[in-house]
Amino acid sequence: MKPIVAIVGRPNVGKSTLFNRLVGDMVAIVDDTPGVTRDRIYGESEWLGRDFIVIDTGGIEPKTDDIILKQMKRQAQIAIETADVIIFVVDVKQGIVDADFGVATILRKSNKPIVLVVNKIDDMSNTTGLYEFFNLGLGDPMPVSAGQKLGLGDMLERVAEHFPNEQEEDFDEEVMKIAVVGKPNVGKSSLINKILKEDRLIVSEIAGTTRDAIDTYAKIGEDKYLFIDTAGIRRRSKVTEAIERYSVIRAMAAIERADIAILLIDATEGVSEQDTKIIGMAHDKGKGIIIAVNKWDAVEKDDKTMNKFLKEIDREFAFMSYSKKVFISALTGQRIDKLFETIKEIHKNQTKRISTGMLNEVLVEALAMNEPPNDKGRRLKIFYGTQATIKPPTFVLFVNDRELAHFSYIRYIENRFRDSFGFDGTPVHFIIRQRGENE
């Protein structure tokens, strides 16, 4: 799982500038108005080959009557809860102010590793301004200038010291790793609980990661499962939106570790923008996908209800028509057995290996049925294909000119492969190589 780093501090100390330096995009709005980063923003970064997630928070004002600042404080606390490491940013030009002591108190209570960063030190040969920040009691301050990109390497080295060890999962290849994702309060915990209660199959629980996720290893007959529950957040008054944004970060981390993502949708609410965002991440990462419509028992139905809902799903998730759909009730256990069948089917399709001979038979037939179109008098030639890897099934096609391999024709080849070999529920990836390249 990618480590999560939260950047926190009072307003206007340069958190967003530092965030932009780390993720490489001008995502956060930078302004001189305190509290302009009202929403927590997140992005991905990398240091010495180790990928990690960065969360930019609104400034914390420990004592305030301002409603927006109170909201930002709550959002920052949620970010702190989910982080593996916290970067606490202070401003050398302003020196220590009361609010910095207040933030330091909040951070000490978190019991998380904290890297104290003194920003806006534009001359690294003169760091005398650092010394007063030892009074915060958070260890050695790190001098940086986010604006001038100074000191960031040393800072990241300190941050990376606190990353959890990269360990291979102790589970064998046969274990199906499943992330249950979706908006808060859609029934993720209820689904896991129903599965465990009904089958009495808990072998072990691995609890207490910094993200409150609970991994449950389960065995049903000869089949082994690892359920990654992403539900740990509870609603708090006035921060519903913040929690929903935060749940996207949690889903991101869970999807990284999983083979299959189950997107749980509330049948009484329909598909939301956040649903498409969450499952889009799983699609991009090449994970198997199940769209599970929960609380189906609570919907008034006639003979057209299911088809109507399926059409909405197909419309909203048109970019992943391969996904499998299941209508369930975590409360009553309705169709939970169908969910397990679907998980097993997708796992089988994800790990399917096609022989080079069989693959090229289908490829030759596909080319004969619908030859590649001309492009300015030149035609794509596909000489042969081979399977490179699984999870997701990935194929290399050797061609005469990579530029001629248009998306629409490769999609046609994918559809022929799906017709011949299955692959329901899993993306299929293609690598296009010109002949002679790394054959």
Side-chain angles (χ1 to χ4, degrees), residues 22 25 31 59 62-63 75 77 90 103 132 146 162 180-181 199 216 235 252 278 300 340 386 391 416 432:
L22 295 183
D25 295 312
D31 194 286
K63 294 173 184 174
Q75 290 198 33
Q77 284 173 325
V90 290
V103 175
E132 70 171 304
H162 300 292
V180 183
V181 298
D199 296 285
T216 307
R235 283 187 186 273
M252 208 165 141
I278 289 172
E300 285 188 28
F340 274 106
T386 185
K391 291 184 184 178
R416 296 288 69 76
I432 311 300

Side-chain angles (χ1 to χ4, degrees), residues 24-35:
D25 295 312
M26 293 297 288
V27 180
I29 306 163
V30 181
D31 194 286
D32 285 338
T33 310

Side-chain angles (χ1 to χ4, degrees), residues 374-390:
N374 270 314
D375 185 351
K376 297 174 185 170
R378 300 193 65 224
R379 193 184 297 279
L380 173 71
K381 290 180 183 173
I382 301 178
F383 300 115
Y384 68 97
T386 185
Q387 184 168 0
T389 186
I390 57 172

Side-chain angles (χ1 to χ4, degrees), residues 87-278:
I87 296 176
F88 175 26
V89 185
V90 290
D91 182 344
V92 74
K93 290 186 165 51
Q94 293 180 11
I96 293 185
V97 300
D98 285 347
D100 290 325
F101 284 111
V103 175
T105 301
I106 291 168
L107 295 181
R108 268 195 295 271
K109 288 177 183 171
S110 75
N111 293 320
K112 297 290 176 70
I114 294 154
V115 176
L116 176 60
V117 170
V118 182
N119 192 24
K120 305 184 186 177
I121 294 187
D122 298 332
D123 179 4
M124 286 292 170
S125 66
N126 179 13
T127 57
T128 52
L130 281 182
Y131 299 126
E132 70 171 304
F133 293 98
F134 279 96
N135 293 321
L136 291 169
L138 293 171
D140 294 350
M142 301 285 301
V144 306
S145 170
Q148 295 190 35
K149 302 185 183 177
L150 300 174
L152 301 185
D154 289 342
M155 179 198 76
L156 284 171
E157 202 164 299
R158 177 86 62 86
V159 169
E161 286 172 4
H162 300 292
F163 285 169
N165 291 330
E166 280 190 292
Q167 294 175 336
E168 290 298 314
E169 297 281 358
D170 290 328
F171 301 104
D172 59 44
E173 188 66 25
E174 292 176 7
V175 174
M176 295 171 246
K177 289 180 279 190
I178 300 135
V180 183
V181 298
K183 291 195 308 178
N185 287 3
V186 78
K188 297 188 290 293
S189 290
S190 300
L191 176 61
I192 300 281
N193 291 341
K194 189 69 182 176
I195 289 167
L196 300 178
K197 187 178 176 186
E198 272 199 350
D199 296 285
R200 294 191 171 86
L201 42 68
I202 302 177
V203 176
S204 62
E205 271 197 358
I206 310 142
T209 70
T210 56
R211 292 178 272 288
D212 299 328
I214 296 177
D215 289 0
T216 307
Y217 176 61
K219 189 171 181 182
I220 306 171
E222 294 304 306
D223 298 314
K224 303 169 194 170
Y225 303 86
L226 180 70
F227 287 98
I228 305 164
D229 177 10
T230 60
I233 274 294
R234 300 289 168 262
R235 283 187 186 273
R236 300 180 189 181
S237 61
K238 300 182 183 173
V239 285
T240 303
E241 284 184 25
I243 289 169
E244 292 206 357
R245 290 190 198 96
Y246 165 74
S247 69
V248 173
I249 299 169
R250 171 164 289 166
M252 208 165 141
I255 286 165
E256 284 282 344
R257 300 173 54 214
D259 299 320
I260 297 169
I262 299 176
L263 173 67
L264 221 52
I265 293 172
D266 188 328
T268 62
E269 294 181 6
V271 180
S272 73
E273 186 183 342
Q274 188 173 341
D275 292 327
T276 56
K277 185 185 291 185
I278 289 172

Side-chain angles (χ1 to χ4, degrees), residues 391-402:
K391 291 184 184 178
T394 301
F395 301 95
V396 182
L397 300 180
F398 290 92
V399 303
N400 60 331
D401 185 345
R402 193 190 295 108

